[in-house]
Amino acid sequence: MDEKNDDRTVRMSPDDLPSVDPGATRLMDDATRADATHVAPRRMADRLPSIDTPSDLPRIDDTSGRDGIDALSDPYFSPAAAPEDLTAARPVVTIESPVESLPERKRRMPRWGIALLVVLALAVAGGIAYLTYANELWGGKTVPAVVGLTEEEARAELEALGFQVEVEYRSGDENIGMVLDCTPDEGLRTDPAAGVTLVVGAERTIPDVIGMTEDAATQALYDAGATDVLVKTSNSDEEAGTAIEVSPGVGEPFVSGDQITLVIAQPYKVPDVKGLTADEALAALEEQGLKGEVSYVDSDAKKNTVVAADPGEGTEVAGGTTVKLSVSSPNPSSPTSLAEYFEATPEQLAEYLADEGFSLVYGGVYVHNGNAHAVYKGSSGDLLHITDDPETSHYEGGSKGDVLAEGAGVGGVRYAFSSDTLPSGGGRENEEGVRAVMAACGLEGLKDTCTAEDVVMPEELPEDAHFICAVGEQGGYTWAVRIGGVGDSTGVVAMIAPTSHFSGVDLSDFDGKLCDYIAYIDLFTG
């Protein structure tokens, strides 16, 4: 074939075509066309791009008689630009393929499969959530059972789980130190950061009531759990009516059944001490926070008892004030007032006897009880015995210890009258003489008498014996008076001792009579 104009298109077999764009559209044979993807019908003109036609190309006359079948089989043939010689070679024109390639269609999962996967995914997620919740990896912690544990045990268990712990104490008589209650309740699940409050049993303690009024202090003690509050008063310089002491003391433990003593301040007042002994009055003043000063006065009141006080009873005074006490003299009203010797102290008696002109003749003490055995002689010749055995005048002599001044006790008294001190009528050996001596000695309660004519003794009485003896009882003491003697010797003696002194005497040899026994011992053994 002759070479044609380069601008003309020539028909070439597919194998002779130069390499072209792999993406360009090619003519397909019948086999290929059968497998090709079908595209919905569409106007080719709408799919082809516009091509600029060279101005020097000759127009093709549709009636030229040239064979256009071949041209129409060429997808690149353009009737408007067809050359006269359709067999001439033309440059290959590359254009975009009008056929869109569809993506490879993937196999889709059915809807029930998708739903099943969703359900499975939710179930797995729920299971994981349940297990982690059940193991308390989230959603808070369960409050453990701590009621009944000690505070330390409960706190350790809760803090190990991360709980913040607060403790409130509830006073009581039992379960001290044990957990009584828990908030939130045991078994509830809660945020550990929100905390747990424990109620722990604690000892009841005495509240600080010092300085409170009586009503306020009493109420505070009842509020603390006390059920038995004893209120006392005590003199104090603190404000009257306020609490100055509580027992058990402030802060000390107690149980509700304990008695609580509350002491309330009252002004210092002189107590009523009239009629008390000097020692009793001094003790009463000291108990009230006051002091006492004793002065003895002559009085008809009982010996050694208070007859007046200055300041007087009920007077408000400052703490430590000295109250002057006027006390009836404890000393015997006379040296012969024998019963009054027991009302004075030994020291007072020693001073009294010295003032009355008695001098010490003998002084000793009984070893078995420490009582005094002393003999004094008066200026008129009277003899006074301080002795446990007043029915006898016997004493050893030699020792002159001032045992009364040293505090030796008085077990009995014996007084032998001199002729100068003998009371009027006291020398008569009859009941009249006895009663005269009784009056001089302050004795009463005569019970029995005996004389030389009717006395019963364990041995025969001397023929020249003459006497009368009388006994009596007075206020827990037994006394005796003996008038007479043997031959020309005569005397008047009075004696007294506690009744218990004679209670153990064997009176079988004296017809059971104490009077006969005393007369025998006094006249014939002393």
Side-chain angles (χ1 to χ4, degrees), residues 143-176:
V143 178
V146 294
V147 174
L149 300 181
T150 66
E151 177 185 350
E152 293 75 12
E153 292 171 342
R155 183 186 290 274
E157 186 167 342
L158 288 167
E159 289 180 347
L161 295 174
F163 285 99
Q164 298 292 326
V165 180
E166 292 185 3
V167 178
E168 296 177 359
Y169 294 98
R170 181 184 298 166
S171 298
D173 297 335
E174 300 177 346
N175 298 318
I176 307 304

Side-chain angles (χ1 to χ4, degrees), residues 350-370:
E351 184 177 351
Y352 168 73
L353 292 174
D355 291 341
E356 292 294 322
F358 283 80
S359 57
L360 183 64
V361 176
Y362 167 77
V365 295
Y366 290 97
V367 175
H368 68 282
N369 62 9

